[in-house]
Amino acid sequence: MILRWERMIAARYLRPGEGERFIFLVAGVSLLAVALGVAALIAVMSVMNGFRAELFDRIQGLNGHAVAQGFGGRLEDWRGVAARATALPGVVSATPLIEAPLMASFGTRVEGALVRGMTMADIARTPVIADNVKAGSLKALAEPDTVAVGAQLAQSLGVQVGDSLSLISPAGEVTPFGTVPRIVSYRVGAIFEVGIFDYDKAFVLMAMPTAQTLFNLGDAVGMVEIKTEDADRVASILAPLGRELLGKGVLTDWRQMNSALFEALVVERTVMFWVLSIIILVAVFNILSSLIMLVRAKTRDIAILRTMGAGRAALMRVFMTVGTLIGVAGVALGLVLGFTVLAFRQGIVSGFSRLTGTELWDPSIRYLTELPSKTDPGEVVGIVLLAVGLSFLATIYPAWKAASTDPVSVLRYE
């Protein structure tokens, strides 16, 4: 418990006295360094969390938590697989899909395309597609030979709603002169943007009957996409289905499909946290230095307080309060700076891009078209406790030195 007179002296030592402006300057630099460290940690960790969450939501919005694929790209008993999947506890939905890479061409331009066939009901129930239509209407896919394309693919090819797009399949017809690629033309009925560059630059969406005709699958599909209540428990939830698929197909969950990407995000997030924590550690050393200088400057005051009856513990509390208050003020300022940066993050990135003349957030590299953010309250509390805790630890040695001052030696020649 800090006594009233101890708080009064601590508050007095926080203000610069005569000849102590350099100490005050060092303390101010320490406060700003703590603030910058806290702000950087909050901003970076929130962006990393947002990037992972946004990427996960958009990828799972298109690919589900797992897919049951048939051998050779054909799943004949897909209705039975879907029924057995939906009967499992924890499974939300099972959606039949046809998906294969082809080539898309318009005029003289040719781009790689990922063709996906879905039922009209499933297309309408997929928010990441249905809620992000930029032109046209997905209802047009019910018409024969009509497709929807990703926004980046449409831009690369130069197609618009109503244009005729050609899909080229290398698995064409066999002739005496070899295999002739199959080329089928489709009308563009809609253009959509899911927000993941790799999907927007390749996706071609069509109704299930149209896809079955294109790939000569008859009534079969390529896979069944499965969504569960808990993505982290997908392996245990779908374990019975995996055993039933042995010999007929293979079950792949989201960890296997995107393992390299999400593991890289975890490693990068951990490394960034510890690297940015060094900023706070450097600031803590500044607090240590300023307190040591303050103790040296206040040696005579400390000796007088000792002769007036102040105990060693009281003097330790005074200087520990001074250092901790500097750290707490820096943390408070860092919280304000961190959340301000997050609030205006997209404008800051755009401003730096215009200032430097370079694209700082290139969707072709970053996967997402905008800089995301998701603040974890638990992480914020952890960062605050880390900064305040290190600031408190930095006060122990200077406070101990102050408490160890011998008043007789100091005042002998006064």
Side-chain angles (χ1 to χ4, degrees):
M1 183 66 181
I2 302 176
L3 302 178
R4 181 179 178 182
W5 71 268
E6 295 171 356
R7 292 196 299 269
M8 180 187 68
I9 294 175
R12 173 63 186 86
Y13 285 174
L14 285 171
R15 299 191 297 271
E18 186 177 351
E20 297 173 358
R21 297 193 180 278
F22 181 73
I23 300 175
F24 182 76
L25 176 62
V26 174
V29 171
S30 305
L31 187 150
L32 289 176
V34 171
L36 290 175
V38 170
L41 270 175
I42 290 175
V44 170
M45 299 307 293
S46 296
V47 168
M48 293 294 294
N49 289 338
F51 188 86
R52 184 185 186 280
E54 191 76 10
L55 191 62
F56 181 84
D57 289 343
R58 291 179 184 268
I59 288 178
Q60 303 316 312
L62 288 172
N63 297 329
H65 298 149
V67 292
Q69 296 175 294
F71 293 128
R74 296 178 67 94
L75 189 62
E76 300 288 350
D77 185 27
W78 62 270
R79 291 183 179 85
V81 172
R84 288 191 290 274
T86 52
L88 294 175
V91 173
V92 176
S93 65
T95 306
L97 296 177
I98 296 173
E99 190 172 279
L102 297 181
M103 299 296 292
S105 70
F106 178 74
T108 59
R109 300 180 182 181
V110 179
E111 297 285 342
L114 184 63
V115 178
R116 170 175 285 196
M118 302 173 67
T119 65
M120 292 299 298
D122 290 330
I123 292 174
R125 285 196 296 264
T126 306
V128 73
I129 296 176
D131 296 343
N132 292 286
V133 177
K134 299 300 180 182
S137 173
L138 293 176
K139 294 180 180 179
L141 300 185
E143 302 174 7
D145 300 331
T146 303
V147 299
V149 299
Q152 296 295 331
L153 178 60
Q155 182 178 351
S156 299
L157 293 174
V159 299
Q160 298 178 354
V161 173
D163 290 338
S164 182
L165 175 73
S166 296
L167 294 179
I168 305 170
S169 173
E173 299 178 356
V174 179
T175 69
F177 302 99
T179 302
V180 178
R182 187 181 179 198
I183 303 176
V184 184
S185 295
Y186 296 92
R187 187 180 70 87
V188 177
I191 296 174
F192 62 91
E193 183 177 21
V194 299
I196 300 179
F197 184 84
D198 283 1
Y199 287 106
D200 288 330
K201 75 174 183 180
F203 242 58
V204 175
L205 183 67
M206 59 179 61
M208 183 66 75
T210 305
Q212 288 174 327
T213 301
L214 174 63
F215 295 106
N216 296 320
L217 290 176
D219 188 49
V221 300
M223 65 187 74
V224 173
E225 173 195 274
I226 303 169
K227 293 184 179 180
T228 62
E229 294 177 349
D230 188 352
D232 294 326
R233 295 178 49 244
V234 63
S236 59
I237 292 174
L238 299 180
L241 181 63
R243 291 191 291 269
E244 293 183 19
L245 283 175
L246 290 175
K248 296 183 293 184
V250 60
L251 184 67
T252 308
D253 62 36
W254 67 270
R255 290 188 181 90
Q256 296 166 312
M257 291 186 287
N258 306 284
S259 59
L261 175 60
F262 285 105
E263 287 177 6
L265 287 176
V266 171
V267 172
E268 184 178 0
R269 181 172 170 272
T270 303
V271 171
M272 290 298 292
F273 176 84
W274 290 111
V275 168
L276 292 174
S277 296
I278 296 176
I279 299 176
I280 298 179
L281 188 60
V282 171
V284 165
F285 279 112
N286 287 335
I287 294 176
L288 176 65
S289 302
S290 63
L291 282 181
I292 290 175
M293 289 188 291
L294 182 63
V295 170
R296 294 292 300 271
K298 299 295 184 181
T299 300
R300 185 172 179 273
D301 293 1
I302 294 169
I304 294 173
L305 289 172
R306 289 296 308 279
T307 58
M308 294 175 63
R312 293 177 182 269
L315 288 174
M316 285 194 68
R317 287 194 295 269
V318 168
F319 286 94
M320 292 175 74
T321 300
V322 172
T324 303
L325 285 176
I326 294 173
V328 170
V331 169
L333 180 58
L335 289 172
V336 174
L337 287 176
F339 287 115
T340 301
V341 169
L342 290 176
F344 298 98
R345 62 188 183 279
Q346 198 61 45
I348 292 172
V349 171
S350 301
F352 272 105
S353 296
R354 290 192 296 269
L355 185 64
T356 60
T358 58
E359 183 64 46
L360 298 181
W361 187 264
D362 187 353
S364 63
I365 300 174
R366 307 295 184 181
Y367 290 98
L368 302 179
T369 54
E370 292 185 356
L371 182 65
S373 173
K374 181 181 180 181
T375 302
D376 184 352
E379 282 187 350
V380 173
V381 171
I383 292 169
V384 169
L385 292 177
L386 174 66
V388 174
L390 289 176
S391 299
F392 175 79
L393 291 176
T395 65
I396 294 177
Y397 176 73
W400 175 78
K401 290 294 290 183
S404 301
T405 300
D406 183 7
V408 176
S409 300
V410 174
L411 299 176
R412 178 175 298 171
Y413 300 105
E414 292 293 332

